[in-house]
Amino acid sequence: MEFIWKAGVIREIAHAGARLEVIEHTAEPATRALEGYHQPLSRPSPWRQLAVHTGGAMAVLEPGALQYLRGDIELQASTSGGASGGGGLGGFLRGAVTAAATGEGLYKTVYRGAGTVYTEPTRLHLLLGELRGEDLIVDDGAFVACAGEVTVGRHVNAGLTAALGSGEGRVQPKLSGTGVFALQSPVPEAEFQFLDLRGETLKVDGNLVVAYTGGLSFAVERSARGLLGGGKTGEGFVQVYRGTGRVWLAPTLPLRVSPLGVAMSVG
């Protein structure tokens, strides 16, 4: 059976003129079923894409995310993620050294002007959030876009280095400032737990945290289960978050990822 892809906005968030919209493309039968005849359908999973309405503000996207744009918008490959003072040969060399050591992409794409930027469709779920003068540490591969007065930098996760004795710390994207952002995940937003810690401690066995605010301290510690033969990660460690802030936790992530670490089909 042939299908027609129909698009509709399922979620949006705005701040100071900048707006992010999640557009979902769902498959509908190209022809109507005969009256009185029931025909079971096996529909393809929906696709989703992000519309970034800049409102004259700056937007930053992960390289390769752009599908098309309309409006008076200029593009720039940046090593500083939109932050001032990150250009020049010195900034380029520092970014190149970090990228080479960690395997992280060197550039983010900065969009300046008034118009709308559309990302490539994906079957992953798109999660929207707002920053209010704070930092957000994001898991590798989860960042899609941000708009407003938000810059994208690098956070060196020294907690993992201390636990495993590796040379370089794990580098993750860090969003800073005020505005809106979008992340991607195999897990839909409805299955996330947004945990607000108030001087508390959270210990997680497994890579279930997609993002956490910069006010929290992070460490990797050996778990009691690990002392008895290894936890879920096979390493016998747990991720520990302490202090005051918010954690984006996806407890159903193992149900949506294959044993080989590949995201399964998401609906």
Side-chain angles (χ1 to χ4, degrees):
M1 172 174 287
E2 293 186 358
F3 293 91
I4 297 175
W5 293 96
K6 294 189 176 181
V9 176
I10 60 171
R11 196 175 302 109
E12 66 177 60
I13 191 171
H15 176 86
R19 187 171 83 256
L20 305 182
E21 293 178 341
V22 177
I23 302 171
E24 186 168 81
H25 301 270
T26 56
E28 299 292 339
T31 57
R32 297 179 59 182
L34 297 176
E35 186 175 352
Y37 176 72
H38 174 71
Q39 183 176 16
L41 296 177
S42 179
R43 305 190 187 207
S45 298
W47 291 83
R48 303 168 189 90
Q49 68 180 147
L50 190 70
V52 182
H53 302 274
T54 63
M58 178 184 70
V60 182
L61 271 69
E62 186 67 15
L66 171 68
Q67 186 183 59
Y68 69 99
L69 64 82
R70 57 182 299 178
D72 186 14
I73 299 178
E74 295 183 355
L75 285 69
Q76 176 188 7
S78 171
T79 60
S80 60
S84 60
L89 181 60
F92 178 85
L93 291 177
R94 285 192 298 273
V97 170
T98 302
T102 63
E104 183 196 24
L106 175 58
Y107 293 107
K108 294 291 183 287
T109 309
V110 178
Y111 299 77
R112 290 186 171 90
T116 305
V117 180
Y118 294 86
T119 65
E120 288 280 359
T122 177
R123 282 207 159 104
L124 295 175
H125 295 275
L126 296 173
L127 317 174
L128 304 182
E130 183 177 0
L131 286 179
R132 301 176 181 176
E134 56 193 336
D135 296 335
L136 185 74
I137 314 302
V138 180
D139 195 28
D140 300 331
F143 172 73
V144 179
C146 59
E149 298 178 1
V150 181
T151 59
V152 184
R154 297 179 179 91
H155 173 75
V156 180
N157 204 325
L160 190 61
T161 308
L164 303 181
S166 56
E168 294 287 341
R170 178 186 178 190
V171 175
Q172 297 172 274
K174 180 176 73 172
L175 312 185
S176 304
T178 300
V180 289
F181 63 89
L183 308 178
Q184 62 184 5
S185 170
V187 179
E189 186 172 344
E191 295 180 11
F192 269 83
Q193 293 184 11
F194 301 95
L195 306 178
D196 292 312
L197 304 183
R198 298 176 177 84
E200 302 171 83
T201 297
L202 173 69
K203 296 186 178 183
V204 181
D205 187 1
N207 189 27
L208 306 180
V209 174
V210 173
Y212 63 95
T213 52
L216 294 169
S217 66
F218 172 83
V220 177
E221 300 176 359
R222 187 173 295 277
S223 67
R225 182 184 304 192
L227 295 176
L228 297 176
K232 296 176 184 176
T233 61
E235 300 293 342
F237 294 100
V238 291
Q239 300 179 24
V240 183
Y241 303 83
R242 291 185 173 92
T244 299
R246 168 169 281 200
V247 176
W248 293 37
L249 181 71
T252 59
L253 181 60
L255 307 180
R256 295 181 175 271
V257 177
S258 72
L260 297 178
V262 179
M264 296 183 291
S265 176
V266 293

